[in-house]
Amino acid sequence: MPIKSICCLGAGYVGGPTMAMIASKCPDIQVTVADMNEQRIAAWNSDTLPVYEPGLDAVVASALGRNLHFTTDIRNAIAGADLIFVSVGTPTKSFGIGAGRAADLRYIESAARLIAEVSEGHKIIVEKSTIPVKTATAIKSILAANSPHGATFQVLSNPEFLAEGTAVEDLESPDRILIGGETTREGNAAVEALASVYARWIPRERILTTNLWSSELSKLVANAFLAQRISSINSISALCEATGADVDEVARAIGMDSRIGPKFLKASVGFGGSCFQKDLLNLVYLCESFNLPHVSEYWRQVVHLNDWQKSRFVEKIVRSLYNTVSNKRIAILGFAFKKDTNDTRESPAILVCRDLLLEHAHLAIYDPKVSEETIRQDLLSAGVSPDLIASNVEICSDPYSAVTHAHALATLTEWAEFRTLDLSRIYDLMLKPAFVFDGRAVLSLDALKAHGFEVFVIGKGL
Ligand SMILES: NC(=O)c1ccc[n+]([C@@H]2O[C@H](COP(=O)([O-])OP(=O)(O)OC[C@H]3O[C@@H](n4cnc5c(N)ncnc54)[C@H](O)[C@@H]3O)[C@@H](O)[C@H]2O)c1
């Protein structure tokens, strides 16, 4: 049976853009994205989308009101759908068994319970959220035990591999689509129904089908491998600083080996985002649960290295500024966890700013897309006191006001606009000696030195 109506629970960074792409590519399928967050739904229905992604406005505009709908009426959305994506958050559990490592599956469970309660007939349920292996078993048993109208279900795993900042490109032309299902006749039919939705714009050879557990696990493993590459090159960045080697030259030399490849070898202040750390910790916990301590310890190191990279960046700033940043103004350029997104979840900027504030620095923060409210809230959630935030944090509307009378400047996001900053003007505005700590290697080292700055670039030394 071809799919005529799709619903997605969760209108976040994944649910919104993914469904907008499906709706724009499949005008004959009605796509409804449902979320209880009224503010988010109102924003999706307005001219200011809640998620910033290059090209997303046009994709949403092409289908909104035609076959793309955003609603808070979750029950009706479920009732009317043949296929339901579950794209709710799966944050790291902060309490109880597995706290700090395991995935918190409460949103998945309550979504499954609601689907069971409301559904009639046959529905395909698709895990879009990133979840631990075997979650499909839990979803199936909740659905089977709580369905008053005798509905039947097939559960599929279809993890999302989009990267924030390039979500539209990634959805339009993904490296692969992964669909896992039960290896039964009904399971195969459900896999084919979903595959044929994607096949409207994605070549069949890029649509991979596997069993449920391989699909669930592959998402965690993909993120673990990506994060591992960043921690690997970051570990080498410290050795480069100690020895006089240049991390970019090393990355280039090893990346030309076709077995290694050039991508994800950029040293930086560390990885962030809502996924890498969470999914690594999730993998660590899974390995612990299956009594594989050597495997879990191996992956835990990737997270440790990332934490160390952030703290040694702060230490470098403090030591360079004569061992005290108390009452010194430090300009922070970039707060998002990467360029081209307004997402700050797990952004290295949060911990760097927190630790500088705990040293009583005054921070002048500029980010082109992150709101003042988000920055203040993130610092509060990271444990900085409201008083310290009120007295020592200034949010600036442009980079030049941030650097005015600053002792130092630190880049924490690789926004393209930082590459074209007027370095002479910045040098004139800053106190001397003017220090630059380029945590994202966005500025030209040679140009900075030529202008007279004292420069620290990760993997290159001061
Ligand atoms: N952000 C990414 O780049 C990315 C990439 C790939 C996979 N993922 C995974 O996708 C999932 C979603 O991530 P996100 O970044 O979109 O999260 P998000 O926090 O931006 O969005 C989740 C949304 O789900 C809503 N929600 C919770 N319970 C619900 C329910 N029962 N019914 C309807 N809506 C409900 C919340 O209100 C929230 O708006 C996570 O598992 C994440 O790991 C994220």
Side-chain angles (χ1 to χ4, degrees):
M1 273 268 291
I3 303 295
K4 293 256 179 304
S5 170
I6 287 176
C7 139
C8 174
L9 303 185
Y13 283 83
V14 169
T18 315
M19 293 306 120
M21 184 58 74
I22 292 179
S24 104
K25 298 292 184 186
C26 312
D28 55 315
I29 299 179
Q30 287 298 317
V31 179
T32 305
V33 191
D35 199 306
M36 65 282 257
N37 183 330
E38 289 177 11
Q39 219 184 338
R40 235 179 190 182
I41 291 297
W44 280 112
N45 283 318
S46 78
D47 289 337
T48 315
L49 303 184
V51 169
Y52 172 72
E53 281 290 337
L56 182 60
D57 290 20
V59 178
V60 172
S62 73
L64 191 64
R66 177 190 71 184
N67 64 326
L68 175 64
H69 316 278
F70 290 93
T71 180
T72 50
D73 187 351
I74 303 177
R75 286 172 171 268
N76 252 324
I78 294 173
D82 311 321
L83 182 147
I84 301 166
F85 284 97
V86 179
S87 186
V88 301
T90 48
T92 305
K93 219 178 152 189
S94 58
F95 55 86
I97 299 169
R101 290 161 357 268
D104 183 343
L105 295 178
R106 76 177 106 160
Y107 304 109
I108 295 275
E109 176 167 346
S110 69
R113 285 184 187 278
L114 191 62
I115 292 170
E117 190 189 320
V118 172
S119 295
E120 292 179 24
H122 182 71
K123 292 194 193 292
I124 299 173
I125 312 303
V126 184
E127 299 169 340
K128 185 53 110 178
S129 302
T130 305
I131 30 78
V133 189
K134 296 277 180 186
T135 302
T137 309
I139 294 180
K140 274 192 253 177
S141 71
I142 291 169
L143 292 172
N146 295 282
S147 203
H149 312 294
T152 55
F153 302 96
Q154 270 297 317
V155 178
L156 303 179
S157 158
N158 171 222
E160 184 49 58
F161 294 100
L162 68 78
E164 287 182 33
T166 53
V168 171
E169 243 174 279
D170 297 342
L171 290 167
E172 180 111 47
S173 180
D175 290 342
R176 80 309 208 180
I177 290 289
L178 179 58
I179 305 175
E182 271 181 30
T183 45
T184 57
R185 197 171 58 84
E186 295 79 11
N188 292 340
V191 168
E192 178 47 34
L194 180 56
S196 61
V197 172
Y198 286 114
R200 311 277 193 102
W201 77 99
I202 296 161
R204 277 276 174 175
E205 61 275 17
R206 285 203 226 155
I207 303 177
L208 289 186
T209 58
T210 65
N211 78 30
L212 268 170
W213 321 130
S214 306
S215 172
E216 289 180 337
L217 184 57
S218 297
K219 174 63 193 176
L220 292 183
V221 174
N223 273 351
F225 270 58
L226 291 169
Q228 179 200 39
R229 273 178 79 98
I230 299 178
S231 279
S232 296
I233 198 68
N234 281 345
S235 73
I236 300 304
S237 72
L239 189 58
C240 287
E241 289 158 29
T243 57
D246 177 326
V247 75
D248 284 339
E249 291 178 352
V250 174
R252 184 147 182 264
I254 63 166
M256 284 174 78
D257 184 327
S258 59
R259 294 167 302 177
I260 297 175
K263 293 189 178 164
F264 264 67
L265 286 180
K266 187 84 202 145
S268 72
V269 62
F271 59 75
S274 65
C275 293
F276 281 180
Q277 174 165 311
K278 161 175 86 71
D279 294 349
L280 272 164
L281 292 170
N282 196 334
L283 186 64
V284 165
Y285 186 69
L286 256 180
C287 297
E288 278 174 22
S289 313
F290 286 98
N291 199 21
L292 296 167
H294 298 86
V295 188
S296 81
E297 200 41 46
Y298 176 75
W299 289 106
R300 194 193 301 273
Q301 282 307 316
V302 176
V303 180
H304 282 169
L305 202 290
N306 195 51
D307 289 339
W308 178 69
Q309 188 76 345
K310 289 178 271 191
S311 52
R312 81 182 186 87
F313 186 72
V314 174
E315 256 181 63
K316 188 78 198 177
I317 296 178
V318 176
R319 285 193 199 292
S320 305
L321 295 181
Y322 317 108
N323 286 315
T324 174
V325 291
S326 175
N327 289 324
K328 289 182 178 164
R329 181 178 172 94
I330 300 178
I332 301 290
L333 299 193
F335 201 82
F337 83 93
K338 67 193 278 199
K339 69 172 178 178
D340 293 338
T341 177
N342 59 347
D343 194 351
T344 59
R345 291 177 289 180
E346 303 295 339
S347 177
I350 299 173
L351 289 197
V352 169
C353 289
R354 179 199 68 187
D355 291 354
L356 289 171
L357 286 167
L358 296 180
E359 294 281 341
H360 296 176
H362 279 261
L363 301 184
I365 305 175
Y366 166 71
D367 186 285
K369 290 290 174 198
V370 180
S371 70
E372 170 156 6
E373 190 192 347
T374 301
I375 296 175
R376 291 189 185 279
Q377 185 54 49
D378 284 345
L379 293 172
L380 197 62
S381 306
V384 185
S385 74
D387 288 350
L388 197 55
I389 296 173
S391 60
N392 285 30
V393 176
E394 177 186 335
I395 309 298
C396 300
S397 54
D398 72 282
Y400 299 102
S401 44
V403 301
T404 301
H405 304 310
H407 292 258
L409 172 175
T411 65
L412 298 180
T413 312
E414 70 282 19
W415 286 104
E417 68 174 70
F418 299 158
R419 295 184 193 279
T420 54
L421 288 173
D422 180 344
L423 294 179
S424 315
R425 188 172 161 205
I426 290 185
Y427 187 78
D428 289 345
L429 290 168
M430 287 177 69
L431 299 181
K432 312 297 176 306
F435 284 88
V436 172
F437 299 91
D438 195 358
R440 293 284 178 182
V442 270
L443 304 171
S444 154
L445 182 57
D446 292 340
L448 285 166
K449 283 188 172 159
H451 280 88
F453 290 97
E454 298 287 328
V455 193
F456 168 74
V457 181
I458 290 211
K460 300 185 192 237
L462 185 61

